Amino acid sequence: MKIHLILPYLLFLFIAGSCHKEIKSEKGGIDIISNVYFDASQGLNKMQSFHVSKINYSHDQLIEYVPDLSFPEINRQVYYIRDSLCYPIDPMERNLIFSDLSKKQQPFLIWKKKEGAVFSKEWIPNYRNRRNLTDTILFHKKYKRFEINSPWTYTRFYIYPTDTILPYSLYRHAEKDYHGRLERIDSYNKKDDAFLTLQLLPRKNWDADAKELFEFNHFVKNRKSE
């Protein structure tokens, strides 16, 4: 009798787990954009936009371009990232072999990287006191939302429901809780009267320089295996 009761229960767990199976995106890019509005209570006229990071990925390998904040068309820094390790590389390098990097320089942990995309293990501050909001449509996409209100800031988070996960996340713990991808954070600093938006914009294609590096390394890897 116990076996007959246990089997349906196990089947239910299997089906429930399958519904939330994560699919890793194999290749593509991620742009991180930030807009800052000063004196926000008086209107949104004083605005400055920043292209924080251009991430390109092929499976578990990332190439990150950090644009100059004053001249976004110029890359101030470039990083090769893999297995939580970060290697600064020359922005002009075209014939770089990824597997040789560890022989040439000492990498550092991505948690210590100060420029571009922030990699953090920390939770969203005051996350346990969040309040769920109704879903909304933004840029033709439906988002789940929650808010966190503190004496200093008011913040809203927008999560796009999807099973496809990217190799970079603003806050992975929130994505797991809401079964989606955190693509936007709106935050109002009450003391400074500043409104800030942070957007994560996925794309299918690589930047031209990253495409050249990935394809060169793919060619080198195939030659070595022959």
Side-chain angles (χ1 to χ4, degrees), residues 17-216:
S18 299
C19 292
H20 298 106
K21 183 178 180 181
E22 294 181 336
I23 303 169
K24 290 185 178 181
S25 178
E26 294 183 356
K27 60 174 289 188
I30 304 167
D31 288 306
I32 301 177
I33 308 293
S34 178
N35 294 324
V36 182
Y37 300 84
F38 304 97
D39 300 325
S41 63
Q42 301 176 26
L44 301 179
N45 298 320
K46 296 181 181 179
M47 187 270 283
Q48 192 167 1
S49 184
F50 302 99
H51 200 154
V52 179
S53 173
K54 296 183 291 183
I55 296 175
N56 300 265
Y57 62 91
S58 176
H59 297 280
D60 59 345
Q61 299 181 102
L62 279 67
I63 299 175
E64 181 189 12
Y65 296 92
V66 182
D68 187 284
L69 296 180
S70 301
F71 303 96
E73 64 277 6
I74 300 175
N75 294 316
R76 187 176 70 229
Q77 184 59 267
V78 184
Y79 296 103
Y80 171 74
I81 301 169
R82 185 172 186 176
D83 298 331
S84 298
L85 295 177
C86 187
Y87 299 83
I89 60 178
D90 187 340
M92 303 303 295
E93 182 64 69
R94 294 293 180 272
N95 297 319
L96 176 70
I97 300 176
F98 298 151
S99 58
D100 290 346
L101 276 173
S102 59
K103 304 174 186 176
K104 299 178 179 180
Q105 58 178 290
Q106 188 71 23
F108 60 90
L109 293 172
I110 55 174
W111 325 115
K112 295 183 178 181
K113 186 168 70 69
K114 302 300 182 183
E115 296 180 301
V118 175
F119 289 78
S120 175
K121 296 180 181 179
E122 300 298 322
W123 278 37
I124 297 170
N126 212 23
Y127 180 69
R128 297 187 185 278
N129 295 323
R130 69 191 184 279
R131 186 174 74 92
N132 290 328
L133 301 171
T134 57
D135 295 350
T136 190
I137 303 294
L138 193 64
F139 304 121
H140 307 292
K141 296 171 72 172
K142 186 175 182 179
Y143 287 96
K144 296 179 181 179
R145 297 184 301 165
F146 65 89
E147 66 179 11
I148 297 176
N149 195 6
S150 74
W152 308 277
T153 58
Y154 173 78
T155 309
R156 282 188 175 182
F157 300 80
Y158 298 76
I159 297 180
Y160 175 62
T162 178
D163 291 330
T164 302
I165 63 171
L166 304 177
Y168 175 78
S169 170
L170 296 171
Y171 288 104
R172 186 72 72 191
H173 71 94
E175 295 187 339
K176 290 181 178 179
D177 287 344
Y178 287 87
H179 306 294
R181 184 166 60 230
L182 180 57
E183 291 190 349
R184 183 184 177 100
I185 301 175
D186 292 346
S187 184
Y188 176 63
N189 186 307
K190 301 175 183 179
K191 179 182 178 181
D192 298 332
D193 192 23
F195 178 70
L196 182 146
T197 69
L198 186 66
Q199 293 177 268
L200 185 152
L201 305 174
R203 50 185 163 83
K204 295 181 179 179
N205 300 320
W206 294 323
D207 290 310
D209 291 344
K211 183 175 186 291
E212 192 172 341
L213 278 173
F214 279 135
E215 290 182 346
F216 174 72

Side-chain angles (χ1 to χ4, degrees), residues 1-10:
M1 183 65 177
K2 288 183 178 180
I3 294 178
H4 290 293
L5 292 174
I6 291 173
L7 286 177
Y9 177 70
L10 292 176

